[in-house]
PDB file of all heavy atoms in Angstrom:
ATOM      1  N   VAL A 100       0.493   3.098  13.554  1.00 98.00           N
ATOM      2  CA  VAL A 100       0.840   2.665  12.197  1.00 98.00           C
ATOM      3  C   VAL A 100      -0.256   1.724  11.704  1.00 98.00           C
ATOM      4  O   VAL A 100      -0.469   0.651  12.276  1.00 98.00           O
ATOM      5  CB  VAL A 100       2.212   1.969  12.175  1.00 98.00           C
ATOM      6  CG1 VAL A 100       2.551   1.492  10.758  1.00 98.00           C
ATOM      7  CG2 VAL A 100       3.314   2.875  12.717  1.00 98.00           C
ATOM      8  N   PRO A 101      -0.959   2.107  10.636  1.00 98.00           N
ATOM      9  CA  PRO A 101      -2.104   1.304  10.193  1.00 98.00           C
ATOM     10  C   PRO A 101      -1.707   0.129   9.269  1.00 98.00           C
ATOM     11  O   PRO A 101      -2.261  -0.030   8.170  1.00 98.00           O
ATOM     12  CB  PRO A 101      -2.980   2.337   9.467  1.00 98.00           C
ATOM     13  CG  PRO A 101      -2.004   3.315   8.918  1.00 98.00           C
ATOM     14  CD  PRO A 101      -0.880   3.394   9.920  1.00 98.00           C
ATOM     15  N   HIS A 102      -0.737  -0.642   9.732  1.00 98.00           N
ATOM     16  CA  HIS A 102      -0.353  -1.914   9.083  1.00 98.00           C
ATOM     17  C   HIS A 102      -0.197  -2.865  10.281  1.00 98.00           C
ATOM     18  O   HIS A 102       0.644  -2.610  11.157  1.00 98.00           O
ATOM     19  CB  HIS A 102       0.967  -1.738   8.317  1.00 98.00           C
ATOM     20  CG  HIS A 102       1.470  -2.986   7.623  1.00 98.00           C
ATOM     21  ND1 HIS A 102       1.897  -3.001   6.307  1.00 98.00           N
ATOM     22  CD2 HIS A 102       1.677  -4.245   8.080  1.00 98.00           C
ATOM     23  CE1 HIS A 102       2.307  -4.198   5.965  1.00 98.00           C
ATOM     24  NE2 HIS A 102       2.198  -4.993   7.036  1.00 98.00           N
ATOM     25  N   VAL A 103      -1.014  -3.903  10.307  1.00 98.00           N
ATOM     26  CA  VAL A 103      -1.073  -4.754  11.499  1.00 98.00           C
ATOM     27  C   VAL A 103       0.323  -5.171  11.955  1.00 98.00           C
ATOM     28  O   VAL A 103       1.165  -5.577  11.176  1.00 98.00           O
ATOM     29  CB  VAL A 103      -1.966  -5.991  11.271  1.00 98.00           C
ATOM     30  CG1 VAL A 103      -1.522  -6.822  10.074  1.00 98.00           C
ATOM     31  CG2 VAL A 103      -2.017  -6.850  12.525  1.00 98.00           C
ATOM     32  N   HIS A 104       0.542  -5.016  13.273  1.00 98.00           N
ATOM     33  CA  HIS A 104       1.847  -5.404  13.860  1.00 98.00           C
ATOM     34  C   HIS A 104       1.644  -5.854  15.277  1.00 98.00           C
ATOM     35  O   HIS A 104       0.939  -5.207  16.056  1.00 98.00           O
ATOM     36  CB  HIS A 104       2.852  -4.240  13.809  1.00 98.00           C
ATOM     37  CG  HIS A 104       2.324  -2.954  14.377  1.00 98.00           C
ATOM     38  ND1 HIS A 104       1.446  -2.130  13.655  1.00 98.00           N
ATOM     39  CD2 HIS A 104       2.485  -2.346  15.576  1.00 98.00           C
ATOM     40  CE1 HIS A 104       1.146  -1.092  14.388  1.00 98.00           C
ATOM     41  NE2 HIS A 104       1.754  -1.192  15.573  1.00 98.00           N
ATOM     42  N   GLY A 105       2.260  -6.971  15.604  1.00 98.00           N
ATOM     43  CA  GLY A 105       2.295  -7.413  17.003  1.00 98.00           C
ATOM     44  C   GLY A 105       3.589  -6.896  17.620  1.00 98.00           C
ATOM     45  O   GLY A 105       4.654  -7.014  17.044  1.00 98.00           O
ATOM     46  N   HIS A 106       3.430  -6.302  18.813  1.00 98.00           N
ATOM     47  CA  HIS A 106       4.630  -5.949  19.598  1.00 98.00           C
ATOM     48  C   HIS A 106       4.996  -7.160  20.456  1.00 98.00           C
ATOM     49  O   HIS A 106       4.167  -7.620  21.249  1.00 98.00           O
ATOM     50  CB  HIS A 106       4.323  -4.795  20.579  1.00 98.00           C
ATOM     51  CG  HIS A 106       3.985  -3.484  19.954  1.00 98.00           C
ATOM     52  ND1 HIS A 106       4.871  -2.450  19.895  1.00 98.00           N
ATOM     53  CD2 HIS A 106       2.838  -3.048  19.395  1.00 98.00           C
ATOM     54  CE1 HIS A 106       4.279  -1.396  19.319  1.00 98.00           C
ATOM     55  NE2 HIS A 106       3.046  -1.747  19.004  1.00 98.00           N
ATOM     56  N   LEU A 107       6.195  -7.663  20.306  1.00 98.00           N
ATOM     57  CA  LEU A 107       6.705  -8.704  21.191  1.00 98.00           C
ATOM     58  C   LEU A 107       7.643  -8.019  22.183  1.00 98.00           C
ATOM     59  O   LEU A 107       8.660  -7.436  21.801  1.00 98.00           O
ATOM     60  CB  LEU A 107       7.466  -9.764  20.374  1.00 98.00           C
ATOM     61  CG  LEU A 107       8.302 -10.755  21.156  1.00 98.00           C
ATOM     62  CD1 LEU A 107       7.474 -11.588  22.112  1.00 98.00           C
ATOM     63  CD2 LEU A 107       9.062 -11.675  20.198  1.00 98.00           C
ATOM     64  N   LEU A 108       7.245  -8.075  23.463  1.00 98.00           N
ATOM     65  CA  LEU A 108       7.990  -7.400  24.533  1.00 98.00           C
ATOM     66  C   LEU A 108       8.444  -8.432  25.553  1.00 98.00           C
ATOM     67  O   LEU A 108       7.642  -9.280  25.975  1.00 98.00           O
ATOM     68  CB  LEU A 108       7.089  -6.362  25.229  1.00 98.00           C
ATOM     69  CG  LEU A 108       6.607  -5.221  24.347  1.00 98.00           C
ATOM     70  CD1 LEU A 108       5.216  -4.785  24.753  1.00 98.00           C
ATOM     71  CD2 LEU A 108       7.576  -4.052  24.425  1.00 98.00           C
ATOM     72  N   GLY A 109       9.682  -8.346  25.963  1.00 98.00           N
ATOM     73  CA  GLY A 109      10.148  -9.265  26.992  1.00 98.00           C
ATOM     74  C   GLY A 109      11.532  -8.837  27.492  1.00 98.00           C
ATOM     75  O   GLY A 109      12.104  -7.844  27.043  1.00 98.00           O
ATOM     76  N   GLY A 110      12.015  -9.600  28.464  1.00 98.00           N
ATOM     77  CA  GLY A 110      13.343  -9.337  29.006  1.00 98.00           C
ATOM     78  C   GLY A 110      13.333  -8.501  30.274  1.00 98.00           C
ATOM     79  O   GLY A 110      14.405  -8.191  30.809  1.00 98.00           O
ATOM     80  N   ARG A 111      12.150  -8.129  30.742  1.00 98.00           N
ATOM     81  CA  ARG A 111      12.022  -7.455  32.036  1.00 98.00           C
ATOM     82  C   ARG A 111      10.613  -7.749  32.557  1.00 98.00           C
ATOM     83  O   ARG A 111       9.724  -8.116  31.767  1.00 98.00           O
ATOM     84  CB  ARG A 111      12.228  -5.939  31.919  1.00 98.00           C
ATOM     85  CG  ARG A 111      11.151  -5.212  31.121  1.00 98.00           C
ATOM     86  CD  ARG A 111      11.284  -3.715  31.283  1.00 98.00           C
ATOM     87  NE  ARG A 111      10.412  -2.936  30.406  1.00 98.00           N
ATOM     88  CZ  ARG A 111       9.127  -2.679  30.650  1.00 98.00           C
ATOM     89  NH1 ARG A 111       8.543  -3.135  31.748  1.00 98.00           N
ATOM     90  NH2 ARG A 111       8.405  -1.966  29.797  1.00 98.00           N
ATOM     91  N   PRO A 112      10.380  -7.604  33.870  1.00 97.00           N
ATOM     92  CA  PRO A 112       9.019  -7.774  34.379  1.00 97.00           C
ATOM     93  C   PRO A 112       8.106  -6.729  33.761  1.00 97.00           C
ATOM     94  O   PRO A 112       8.472  -5.538  33.672  1.00 97.00           O
ATOM     95  CB  PRO A 112       9.159  -7.574  35.890  1.00 97.00           C
ATOM     96  CG  PRO A 112      10.595  -7.783  36.196  1.00 97.00           C
ATOM     97  CD  PRO A 112      11.349  -7.314  34.956  1.00 97.00           C
ATOM     98  N   LEU A 113       6.934  -7.150  33.315  1.00 97.00           N
ATOM     99  CA  LEU A 113       5.968  -6.248  32.676  1.00 97.00           C
ATOM    100  C   LEU A 113       4.759  -6.124  33.605  1.00 97.00           C
ATOM    101  O   LEU A 113       4.198  -7.108  34.055  1.00 97.00           O
ATOM    102  CB  LEU A 113       5.524  -6.826  31.326  1.00 97.00           C
ATOM    103  CG  LEU A 113       6.667  -7.000  30.323  1.00 97.00           C
ATOM    104  CD1 LEU A 113       6.216  -7.855  29.120  1.00 97.00           C
ATOM    105  CD2 LEU A 113       7.161  -5.644  29.814  1.00 97.00           C
ATOM    106  N   THR A 114       4.378  -4.881  33.860  1.00 97.00           N
ATOM    107  CA  THR A 114       3.277  -4.667  34.820  1.00 97.00           C
ATOM    108  C   THR A 114       1.924  -4.883  34.140  1.00 97.00           C
ATOM    109  O   THR A 114       1.779  -4.826  32.926  1.00 97.00           O
ATOM    110  CB  THR A 114       3.351  -3.248  35.378  1.00 97.00           C
ATOM    111  OG1 THR A 114       3.279  -2.323  34.316  1.00 97.00           O
ATOM    112  CG2 THR A 114       4.629  -3.030  36.156  1.00 97.00           C
ATOM    113  N   TRP A 115       0.933  -5.143  34.982  1.00 97.00           N
ATOM    114  CA  TRP A 115      -0.441  -5.297  34.541  1.00 97.00           C
ATOM    115  C   TRP A 115      -1.363  -4.668  35.548  1.00 97.00           C
ATOM    116  O   TRP A 115      -1.114  -4.846  36.739  1.00 97.00           O
ATOM    117  CB  TRP A 115      -0.785  -6.812  34.357  1.00 97.00           C
ATOM    118  CG  TRP A 115      -2.081  -6.973  33.613  1.00 97.00           C
ATOM    119  CD1 TRP A 115      -3.311  -7.149  34.162  1.00 97.00           C
ATOM    120  CD2 TRP A 115      -2.261  -6.926  32.197  1.00 97.00           C
ATOM    121  NE1 TRP A 115      -4.247  -7.220  33.160  1.00 97.00           N
ATOM    122  CE2 TRP A 115      -3.634  -7.094  31.947  1.00 97.00           C
ATOM    123  CE3 TRP A 115      -1.379  -6.765  31.115  1.00 97.00           C
ATOM    124  CZ2 TRP A 115      -4.162  -7.092  30.635  1.00 97.00           C
ATOM    125  CZ3 TRP A 115      -1.886  -6.767  29.853  1.00 97.00           C
ATOM    126  CH2 TRP A 115      -3.280  -6.946  29.613  1.00 97.00           C
TER     127      TRP A 115
END
Side-chain angles (χ1 to χ4, degrees):
V100 179
H102 180 132
V103 56
H104 50 282
H106 294 256
L107 168 61
L108 297 146
R111 67 169 172 82
L113 299 167
T114 58
W115 192 265

